CSV table of all heavy atoms in Angstrom, one decimal:
chain,number,residue,atom,x,y,z
W,1315,LYS,N,-18.9,-28.8,21.4
W,1315,LYS,CA,-18.7,-29.8,22.4
W,1315,LYS,C,-17.7,-29.3,23.5
W,1315,LYS,O,-17.8,-29.5,24.7
W,1315,LYS,CB,-18.1,-31.1,21.7
W,1315,LYS,CG,-19.2,-31.9,21.1
W,1315,LYS,CD,-18.5,-33.2,20.6
W,1315,LYS,CE,-19.5,-34.0,19.8
W,1315,LYS,NZ,-18.8,-35.1,19.1
W,1316,ASP,N,-16.6,-28.7,23.0
W,1316,ASP,CA,-15.6,-28.2,23.9
W,1316,ASP,C,-16.1,-27.1,24.8
W,1316,ASP,O,-15.8,-27.1,26.0
W,1316,ASP,CB,-14.3,-27.7,23.2
W,1316,ASP,CG,-13.5,-28.8,22.6
W,1316,ASP,OD1,-13.8,-30.0,22.9
W,1316,ASP,OD2,-12.5,-28.6,21.9
W,1317,LEU,N,-16.9,-26.2,24.2
W,1317,LEU,CA,-17.5,-25.1,25.0
W,1317,LEU,C,-18.4,-25.6,26.1
W,1317,LEU,O,-18.5,-25.0,27.2
W,1317,LEU,CB,-18.2,-24.1,24.1
W,1317,LEU,CG,-17.3,-23.4,23.1
W,1317,LEU,CD1,-18.2,-22.6,22.1
W,1317,LEU,CD2,-16.4,-22.4,23.8
W,1318,ILE,N,-19.1,-26.7,25.8
W,1318,ILE,CA,-20.1,-27.3,26.8
W,1318,ILE,C,-19.4,-28.1,27.9
W,1318,ILE,O,-19.7,-27.9,29.1
W,1318,ILE,CB,-21.1,-28.1,26.0
W,1318,ILE,CG1,-22.0,-27.3,25.1
W,1318,ILE,CG2,-22.0,-28.9,27.0
W,1318,ILE,CD1,-22.9,-28.1,24.2
W,1319,SER,N,-18.5,-28.9,27.5
W,1319,SER,CA,-17.9,-29.9,28.4
W,1319,SER,C,-16.5,-29.6,28.9
W,1319,SER,O,-16.2,-29.7,30.1
W,1319,SER,CB,-18.0,-31.3,27.8
W,1319,SER,OG,-17.2,-31.3,26.6
W,1320,ALA,N,-15.6,-29.2,28.0
W,1320,ALA,CA,-14.2,-29.0,28.3
W,1320,ALA,C,-14.0,-27.8,29.2
W,1320,ALA,O,-14.6,-26.7,29.0
W,1320,ALA,CB,-13.4,-28.9,27.1
W,1321,PRO,N,-13.2,-27.9,30.2
W,1321,PRO,CA,-12.9,-26.7,31.1
W,1321,PRO,C,-11.9,-25.8,30.5
W,1321,PRO,O,-10.7,-25.8,30.9
W,1321,PRO,CB,-12.4,-27.4,32.4
W,1321,PRO,CG,-11.8,-28.7,31.9
W,1321,PRO,CD,-12.5,-29.1,30.7
W,1322,ILE,N,-12.3,-25.0,29.5
W,1322,ILE,CA,-11.3,-24.1,28.8
W,1322,ILE,C,-10.9,-23.0,29.8
W,1322,ILE,O,-9.7,-22.5,29.7
W,1322,ILE,CB,-12.0,-23.5,27.6
W,1322,ILE,CG1,-12.5,-24.6,26.6
W,1322,ILE,CG2,-11.1,-22.5,26.8
W,1322,ILE,CD1,-13.6,-24.2,25.7
W,1323,GLY,N,-11.8,-22.5,30.6
W,1323,GLY,CA,-11.4,-21.5,31.6
W,1323,GLY,C,-10.3,-21.9,32.5
W,1323,GLY,O,-9.4,-21.1,32.8
W,1324,GLU,N,-10.3,-23.1,33.0
W,1324,GLU,CA,-9.3,-23.6,33.8
W,1324,GLU,C,-7.9,-23.7,33.1
W,1324,GLU,O,-6.9,-23.5,33.7
W,1324,GLU,CB,-9.7,-25.0,34.4
W,1324,GLU,CG,-10.9,-25.0,35.3
W,1324,GLU,CD,-11.3,-26.4,35.8
W,1324,GLU,OE1,-10.5,-27.3,35.5
W,1324,GLU,OE2,-12.4,-26.5,36.3
W,1325,GLN,N,-8.0,-24.1,31.8
W,1325,GLN,CA,-6.8,-24.1,31.0
W,1325,GLN,C,-6.2,-22.7,30.9
W,1325,GLN,O,-4.9,-22.6,31.1
W,1325,GLN,CB,-7.1,-24.6,29.6
W,1325,GLN,CG,-5.9,-24.7,28.7
W,1325,GLN,CD,-6.3,-25.0,27.2
W,1325,GLN,OE1,-7.4,-25.5,27.0
W,1325,GLN,NE2,-5.5,-24.6,26.3
W,1326,ILE,N,-7.0,-21.7,30.7
W,1326,ILE,CA,-6.5,-20.3,30.6
W,1326,ILE,C,-5.9,-19.9,32.0
W,1326,ILE,O,-4.9,-19.2,32.0
W,1326,ILE,CB,-7.6,-19.4,30.1
W,1326,ILE,CG1,-8.0,-19.7,28.7
W,1326,ILE,CG2,-7.1,-17.9,30.2
W,1326,ILE,CD1,-9.2,-19.0,28.2
W,1327,GLU,N,-6.6,-20.3,33.0
W,1327,GLU,CA,-6.1,-19.9,34.4
W,1327,GLU,C,-4.7,-20.5,34.6
W,1327,GLU,O,-3.8,-19.8,35.2
W,1327,GLU,CB,-7.1,-20.5,35.4
W,1327,GLU,CG,-8.3,-19.7,35.6
W,1327,GLU,CD,-9.3,-20.3,36.6
W,1327,GLU,OE1,-8.8,-21.0,37.5
W,1327,GLU,OE2,-10.5,-20.0,36.5
W,1328,ARG,N,-4.5,-21.8,34.2
W,1328,ARG,CA,-3.2,-22.4,34.4
W,1328,ARG,C,-2.1,-21.7,33.6
W,1328,ARG,O,-1.0,-21.5,34.0
W,1328,ARG,CB,-3.2,-23.9,34.0
W,1328,ARG,CG,-3.9,-24.7,35.0
W,1328,ARG,CD,-3.7,-26.2,34.7
W,1328,ARG,NE,-4.1,-26.6,33.4
W,1328,ARG,CZ,-5.3,-27.0,33.1
W,1328,ARG,NH1,-6.2,-27.1,34.0
W,1328,ARG,NH2,-5.6,-27.4,31.9
W,1329,GLU,N,-2.4,-21.3,32.3
W,1329,GLU,CA,-1.5,-20.7,31.4
W,1329,GLU,C,-1.1,-19.3,31.9
W,1329,GLU,O,0.0,-18.8,31.7
W,1329,GLU,CB,-2.0,-20.6,30.0
W,1329,GLU,CG,-2.1,-21.9,29.3
W,1329,GLU,CD,-2.7,-21.8,27.9
W,1329,GLU,OE1,-3.0,-20.7,27.5
W,1329,GLU,OE2,-2.9,-22.9,27.3
W,1330,CYS,N,-2.0,-18.6,32.5
W,1330,CYS,CA,-1.8,-17.2,33.0
W,1330,CYS,C,-1.3,-17.1,34.4
W,1330,CYS,O,-1.1,-16.0,34.9
W,1330,CYS,CB,-3.1,-16.4,32.8
W,1330,CYS,SG,-3.6,-16.3,31.1
W,1331,SER,N,-1.2,-18.2,35.1
W,1331,SER,CA,-0.8,-18.2,36.5
W,1331,SER,C,0.6,-17.6,36.7
W,1331,SER,O,0.9,-17.1,37.8
W,1331,SER,CB,-0.9,-19.6,37.2
W,1331,SER,OG,0.0,-20.5,36.5
W,1332,GLY,N,1.5,-17.7,35.7
W,1332,GLY,CA,2.8,-17.2,35.9
W,1332,GLY,C,2.8,-15.7,35.8
W,1332,GLY,O,3.8,-15.1,36.2
W,1333,ILE,N,1.8,-15.1,35.1
W,1333,ILE,CA,1.8,-13.6,35.0
W,1333,ILE,C,1.1,-13.0,36.2
W,1333,ILE,O,1.7,-12.1,36.9
W,1333,ILE,CB,1.0,-13.2,33.7
W,1333,ILE,CG1,1.6,-13.9,32.5
W,1333,ILE,CG2,0.9,-11.7,33.6
W,1333,ILE,CD1,0.8,-13.8,31.3
W,1334,PHE,N,-0.1,-13.5,36.5
W,1334,PHE,CA,-0.8,-13.0,37.7
W,1334,PHE,C,-1.9,-14.0,38.0
W,1334,PHE,O,-2.5,-14.5,37.1
W,1334,PHE,CB,-1.5,-11.6,37.4
W,1334,PHE,CG,-1.8,-10.8,38.7
W,1334,PHE,CD1,-1.0,-9.9,39.2
W,1334,PHE,CD2,-3.0,-11.1,39.3
W,1334,PHE,CE1,-1.3,-9.2,40.3
W,1334,PHE,CE2,-3.4,-10.4,40.5
W,1334,PHE,CZ,-2.5,-9.4,41.0
W,1335,PRO,N,-2.1,-14.4,39.3
W,1335,PRO,CA,-3.1,-15.4,39.6
W,1335,PRO,C,-4.5,-14.9,39.3
W,1335,PRO,O,-4.9,-13.8,39.7
W,1335,PRO,CB,-3.0,-15.6,41.1
W,1335,PRO,CG,-2.2,-14.4,41.6
W,1335,PRO,CD,-1.4,-13.9,40.5
W,1336,ILE,N,-5.3,-15.7,38.5
W,1336,ILE,CA,-6.7,-15.3,38.1
W,1336,ILE,C,-7.6,-16.4,38.5
W,1336,ILE,O,-7.2,-17.6,38.8
W,1336,ILE,CB,-6.8,-15.0,36.6
W,1336,ILE,CG1,-6.4,-16.2,35.8
W,1336,ILE,CG2,-6.0,-13.8,36.2
W,1336,ILE,CD1,-6.7,-16.0,34.3
W,1337,LYS,N,-8.9,-16.1,38.6
W,1337,LYS,CA,-10.0,-17.0,39.0
W,1337,LYS,C,-11.2,-16.8,38.1
W,1337,LYS,O,-11.3,-15.8,37.4
W,1337,LYS,CB,-10.3,-16.9,40.4
W,1337,LYS,CG,-10.9,-15.5,40.8
W,1337,LYS,CD,-11.4,-15.4,42.2
W,1337,LYS,CE,-12.0,-14.0,42.4
W,1337,LYS,NZ,-12.6,-13.9,43.7
W,1338,ASP,N,-12.1,-17.7,38.2
W,1338,ASP,CA,-13.5,-17.5,37.5
W,1338,ASP,C,-13.3,-17.1,36.1
W,1338,ASP,O,-13.9,-16.1,35.6
W,1338,ASP,CB,-14.3,-16.5,38.3
W,1338,ASP,CG,-14.7,-16.9,39.7
W,1338,ASP,OD1,-14.7,-18.1,39.9
W,1338,ASP,OD2,-14.9,-16.0,40.5
W,1339,CYS,N,-12.5,-17.9,35.3
W,1339,CYS,CA,-12.3,-17.6,33.9
W,1339,CYS,C,-13.4,-18.4,33.1
W,1339,CYS,O,-13.5,-19.6,33.3
W,1339,CYS,CB,-10.9,-18.0,33.5
W,1339,CYS,SG,-10.6,-17.6,31.8
W,1340,PHE,N,-14.2,-17.7,32.3
W,1340,PHE,CA,-15.3,-18.3,31.6
W,1340,PHE,C,-15.3,-17.8,30.2
W,1340,PHE,O,-14.9,-16.7,29.9
W,1340,PHE,CB,-16.6,-18.0,32.2
W,1340,PHE,CG,-16.9,-18.6,33.6
W,1340,PHE,CD1,-16.7,-17.9,34.7
W,1340,PHE,CD2,-17.2,-20.0,33.7
W,1340,PHE,CE1,-16.9,-18.4,36.0
W,1340,PHE,CE2,-17.4,-20.5,35.0
W,1340,PHE,CZ,-17.3,-19.8,36.1
W,1341,ILE,N,-15.8,-18.7,29.3
W,1341,ILE,CA,-16.2,-18.2,27.9
W,1341,ILE,C,-17.6,-17.5,28.1
W,1341,ILE,O,-18.6,-18.2,28.2
W,1341,ILE,CB,-16.3,-19.3,26.9
W,1341,ILE,CG1,-14.9,-20.1,26.8
W,1341,ILE,CG2,-16.6,-18.8,25.5
W,1341,ILE,CD1,-13.8,-19.3,26.4
Side-chain angles (χ1 to χ4, degrees):
K1315 277 184 188 175
D1316 285 355
L1317 292 171
I1318 291 169
S1319 57
I1322 302 159
E1324 292 176 15
Q1325 179 190 340
I1326 294 171
E1327 285 176 23
R1328 286 194 301 272
E1329 290 178 0
C1330 299
S1331 60
I1333 303 168
F1334 199 96
I1336 60 173
K1337 63 172 182 176
D1338 296 332
C1339 185
F1340 293 102
I1341 304 296

